[in-house]
Amino acid sequence: ELLDPKSQQVLERNSSVRKLGSFVYSNSLATGVFALAAASRPTFNVWRHLLSPNCGFQIAAASTKEYVSDCEELSFNDLRERVWDHCGGVLMGWKRTCDRYPYLNPKDKSERFIWNDATMERDELIMLRPPPYARPTDQDAAGDSTPAEAEEDTNGLSCVGVPTDSGMQMPGVPQDSS
């Protein structure tokens, strides 16, 4: 974690330190999240919900063998649908065996990649996943339920946000009516 410009300068000048790991510029990250939340009430609601202590969501890495069969050519969008159908999670990206860093939020979400059983055990999908007992129902995915019904369907726990015409609907989170 880098908190100040001096640490960043040391890191930029010292390649041996950079090779030791990955670094997060936490002040920049916090500022970016704050700016996103301030610019949009629905975005603020999503962040408030995700950061609440009893949210239950977690960022998880799951083996691709749960989502891919044998050898397939799949895009981010294909995998996103499979993650949603399997656990109600939201795909963020993946970490493949041959890559040093994870591949997150690709620009071209329709670009297809080959996924094969030779690396399936070690390749991972990175997702935002609700607790196993808070999986959205088909009715939630269709957008037919109200937030109260969605909470009731999950024993009082909120499910992952479901896309709606007006943006992201988070069950149990008040939505901006403007």
Side-chain angles (χ1 to χ4, degrees), residues 33 36-38 40-53 55 57 90 128 158-164 166-176:
V33 168
L36 281 170
S40 164
R41 177 76 180 190
T43 302
F44 169 78
N45 288 336
V46 169
W47 277 110
R48 185 182 69 188
H49 182 72
L50 289 174
L51 297 174
S52 71
C55 171
F57 291 95
V90 176
L128 181 64
S158 297
C159 299
V160 73
V162 244
T164 65
S166 61
M168 186 64 92
Q169 166 101 20
M170 295 297 291
V173 176
Q175 300 297 307
D176 185 20

Side-chain angles (χ1 to χ4, degrees), residues 2 6 18 26 31 41-43 68 104 116 140 147 164 168:
L2 299 174
K6 291 273 187 206
R18 278 196 313 266
S26 55
T31 302
R41 177 76 180 190
T43 302
V68 179
L104 301 173
N116 61 53
D140 293 336
T164 65
M168 186 64 92

Side-chain angles (χ1 to χ4, degrees), residues 92-111:
M92 298 168 67
W94 51 74
K95 169 70 173 81
R96 303 206 56 183
T97 306
C98 58
D99 297 330
R100 179 173 181 183
Y101 297 106
Y103 188 64
L104 301 173
N105 192 24
K107 288 185 192 284
D108 182 1
K109 293 180 175 37
S110 60
E111 180 183 359

